[in-house]
Amino acid sequence: MEQTEKPKASAEKGLLEKIKLCLSKKPLLSPTDRKTFDHDFAISTSFHGVHNIVRNQSKIRKLLWLLVVLGSVLLVVWQIYSRLVNYFTWPTTTSIEVQYVEKIDFPAVTFCNLNRFQTEAAAKFGVIFFLWNIVYKVLHFQEIRSNYTGFKEAIDFLASHQNFSITEFVKENGFYLNNSTLLECDFFGKPCGPQDFAHVFTEYGNCFTFNHGEHIQAKEKVSVSGRGLSLLFNVNQEDFTDDPDLGFVDAGIIFVIHSPKKVPQIDGLGLSSPVGMHARVSIRQVKTVHQEYPWGECNPNIKLQNFSTYSTSGCLKECKAQHIQEQCGCLPFLLPGNGIECDLQKFYNCVSPTLDLIEVKGLCTMGTHNSSCPVPCEETEYPATISYSTFPSQKALKYLSKKLNQSQEYIRENLVNIEINYSDLNYKITQQQKAVSVSELLADVGGQLGLFCGASMITIIEIIEYIFTNFYWICILFLLKIPEMTQGARPPQPHLGKKNRIEEC
């Protein structure tokens, strides 16, 4: 190491000697020459007011012009400082614009039955509600109560049914969509049926999405307001049930309207339609554009592995899936990804504690730019206005009773009519924009310089050249000439002999 450092040191020393030798050849300006240089700069610079200080013979006028110039400089410094401070607070403005169109895309709609399990299967597997509590915790944090009345029964069930698949149970024994549960379907005057719905798992078990992202219906656009999707469901209360402890004690259909490429988020956003009612839903499309950090909170570089479009709900699911797969070596069926499905033992022994750890340590957060899942840079939402009327009327009740071969009481207690349409053919864009761009900042700074000092970019270059030249002469004076003058003033020492100045240095 010492041998390698010596050549480097000698090379640096040689370079320094060459620089000193070069600078020593430069003539040092006399005080008169320096005054002439300063005077020439003052009378030739484009910085307004400086030449008035130099040319005026009257001391009073010189003082007045000096005060004017200094005051203008102070004002421009204060103005530029305030502009820079304002710019680095990253201000934004929000613009709202309504666009009217001839045709508009119809959203996706996901439907679920409030009673999620078939009555016969739920009676046979009484612990299914407790088990679903554990599974449901994947989507929403929920404490698993150890004092549950069937807790011991559930533990015994887990021990004796190790191959029990909650996925297959829900799919086979949950709500289903066929001609007996979907009695009528009409989309923009065209008939539709169960084949036009895609099956999805949510916190409500089996749910079905109309106008799914890859479905052919997603390519159609609505061209007339007031028409859209009309459905008639039979919730069949006798065949489906749910656990009252979970809070879903109503009878009817819960649905959510969302973008075809977005994950349905029913909890908190779902709209409920009870039995014996006709729900008329009027929607409008709202597009929101967020700015990236530091102006906003979005991050355009985040991409999801399992979803084509970024959304906060999809990101949270992927975040939870990643931590669970790392800790447990499997994936819950409600979360996206390619992995081995977690069995119920893993759900209880590993998945549930991991979810508690994620919640306590805040491993999957949302909202701000530095969180696990910041807000999307662009999202489309469908605010809805819903109204209800009694369904069916007396005459329609008799007609449906004969058509379905069911009693009038059955019709009242099981049928749900839902109609979804656009209120108008327009969409609203809410866009977050930068209040001050870089070009606007430069224009503002340039305007302040021109207003108070008459300065431009060329003026700034002139001042930089002047400062650099003076700095260069000072370096020559203090680094070379002064040491040479002090060394030349010393008495000669006989034992040194005759050497040049470079060698003495």
Side-chain angles (χ1 to χ4, degrees), residues 302-316 318:
I302 296 182
K303 305 294 181 184
L304 301 182
Q305 297 179 356
N306 302 282
F307 304 101
S308 59
T309 304
Y310 176 84
S311 64
T312 306
S313 56
C315 177
L316 285 174
E318 285 197 356

Side-chain angles (χ1 to χ4, degrees), residues 183-330:
L183 303 179
E184 291 181 8
C185 179
D186 181 273
F187 178 63
F188 200 55
K190 298 179 181 179
C192 50
Q195 69 277 4
D196 298 310
F197 291 76
H199 174 269
V200 292
F201 278 120
T202 72
E203 56 265 45
Y204 286 86
N206 290 337
C207 294
F208 300 89
T209 302
F210 178 81
N211 211 18
H212 193 262
E214 302 300 327
H215 201 270
I216 189 172
Q217 294 282 2
K219 299 179 181 179
E220 298 191 15
K221 296 186 176 183
V222 177
S223 58
V224 178
S225 61
R227 295 183 64 183
L229 180 64
S230 180
L231 303 164
L232 180 61
F233 286 101
N234 179 7
V235 300
N236 206 348
Q237 288 196 59
E238 294 182 358
D239 290 348
F240 295 96
T241 186
D242 212 317
D243 183 12
D245 292 337
L246 295 182
F248 307 128
V249 295
D250 300 331
I253 296 291
I254 186 168
F255 60 97
V256 62
I257 304 167
H258 57 93
S259 171
K261 296 181 180 180
K262 191 176 179 181
V263 181
Q265 185 180 353
I266 296 179
D267 190 29
L269 299 176
L271 303 171
S272 298
S273 180
V275 294
M277 288 290 176
H278 184 178
R280 291 180 174 85
V281 184
S282 179
I283 62 173
R284 52 193 177 91
Q285 189 180 100
V286 176
K287 295 182 179 180
T288 305
V289 179
H290 300 281
Q291 282 291 331
E292 60 186 274
Y293 183 80
W295 288 270
E297 298 295 343
C298 89
N299 186 347
N301 299 320
I302 296 182
K303 305 294 181 184
L304 301 182
Q305 297 179 356
N306 302 282
F307 304 101
S308 59
T309 304
Y310 176 84
S311 64
T312 306
S313 56
C315 177
L316 285 174
K317 287 184 177 181
E318 285 197 356
C319 180
K320 291 180 180 179
Q322 179 183 354
H323 288 290
I324 291 173
Q325 192 165 25
E326 289 176 358
Q327 295 294 326
C328 306
C330 62

Side-chain angles (χ1 to χ4, degrees), residues 126-424:
V127 297
I128 189 61
F129 301 117
F130 177 78
L131 299 177
W132 185 256
N133 252 333
I134 303 175
V135 175
Y136 175 79
K137 190 179 179 183
V138 171
L139 297 179
H140 305 283
F141 179 76
Q142 182 175 334
E143 184 180 358
I144 304 301
R145 297 167 297 164
S146 59
N147 60 351
Y148 173 67
T149 54
F151 184 78
K152 187 178 183 306
E153 181 185 353
I155 299 301
D156 295 338
F157 181 86
L158 291 175
S160 58
H161 294 78
Q162 295 184 0
N163 295 326
F164 182 81
S165 173
I166 191 71
T167 311
E168 294 300 323
F169 179 87
V170 175
K171 187 176 287 188
E172 294 177 4
N173 300 287
F175 178 65
Y176 50 83
L177 198 69
N178 56 22
N179 293 329
S180 65
T181 55
L182 181 62
L183 303 179
E184 291 181 8
C185 179
D186 181 273
F187 178 63
F188 200 55
K190 298 179 181 179
C192 50
Q195 69 277 4
D196 298 310
F197 291 76
H199 174 269
V200 292
F201 278 120
T202 72
E203 56 265 45
Y204 286 86
N206 290 337
C207 294
F208 300 89
T209 302
F210 178 81
N211 211 18
H212 193 262
E214 302 300 327
H215 201 270
I216 189 172
Q217 294 282 2
K219 299 179 181 179
E220 298 191 15
K221 296 186 176 183
V222 177
S223 58
V224 178
S225 61
R227 295 183 64 183
L229 180 64
S230 180
L231 303 164
L232 180 61
F233 286 101
N234 179 7
V235 300
N236 206 348
Q237 288 196 59
E238 294 182 358
D239 290 348
F240 295 96
T241 186
D242 212 317
D243 183 12
D245 292 337
L246 295 182
F248 307 128
V249 295
D250 300 331
I253 296 291
I254 186 168
F255 60 97
V256 62
I257 304 167
H258 57 93
S259 171
K261 296 181 180 180
K262 191 176 179 181
V263 181
Q265 185 180 353
I266 296 179
D267 190 29
L269 299 176
L271 303 171
S272 298
S273 180
V275 294
M277 288 290 176
H278 184 178
R280 291 180 174 85
V281 184
S282 179
I283 62 173
R284 52 193 177 91
Q285 189 180 100
V286 176
K287 295 182 179 180
T288 305
V289 179
H290 300 281
Q291 282 291 331
E292 60 186 274
Y293 183 80
W295 288 270
E297 298 295 343
C298 89
N299 186 347
N301 299 320
I302 296 182
K303 305 294 181 184
L304 301 182
Q305 297 179 356
N306 302 282
F307 304 101
S308 59
T309 304
Y310 176 84
S311 64
T312 306
S313 56
C315 177
L316 285 174
K317 287 184 177 181
E318 285 197 356
C319 180
K320 291 180 180 179
Q322 179 183 354
H323 288 290
I324 291 173
Q325 192 165 25
E326 289 176 358
Q327 295 294 326
C328 306
C330 62
L331 274 176
F333 73 94
L334 288 175
L335 297 182
N338 298 320
I340 303 172
E341 182 187 338
C342 298
D343 56 32
L344 289 175
Q345 285 285 358
K346 281 282 184 69
F347 260 107
Y348 184 74
N349 296 325
C350 184
V351 174
S352 184
T354 302
L355 290 169
D356 293 338
L357 183 68
I358 293 173
E359 186 73 19
V360 171
K361 291 191 174 183
L363 301 179
C364 294
T365 55
M366 59 177 288
T368 58
H369 72 279
N370 55 357
S371 61
S372 306
C373 300
V375 296
C377 293
E378 185 175 344
E379 59 182 340
T380 303
E381 296 177 339
Y382 298 88
T385 302
I386 187 168
S387 59
Y388 298 97
S389 60
T390 302
F391 175 84
S393 63
Q394 289 295 330
K395 290 186 177 181
L397 181 62
K398 295 177 182 179
Y399 168 78
L400 288 173
S401 178
K402 291 180 180 180
K403 181 181 178 180
L404 301 177
N405 195 22
Q406 297 287 351
S407 65
Q408 295 184 7
E409 183 181 1
Y410 178 89
I411 300 297
R412 289 284 192 196
E413 293 179 353
N414 290 280
L415 265 58
V416 178
N417 195 0
I418 300 174
E419 186 179 340
I420 302 172
N421 50 61
Y422 274 103
S423 58
D424 201 355

Side-chain angles (χ1 to χ4, degrees), residues 42 45 47-54 56 61-77 452-454 463:
T45 181
F47 195 95
H48 291 191
V50 176
H51 62 278
N52 290 322
I53 300 174
V54 177
N56 274 311
R61 291 175 66 88
K62 280 189 176 184
L63 179 61
L64 289 174
W65 274 109
L66 179 63
L67 293 176
V68 170
V69 171
L70 290 178
S72 298
V73 170
L74 290 175
L75 280 172
V76 77
V77 169
F452 291 102
C453 301
I463 295 173

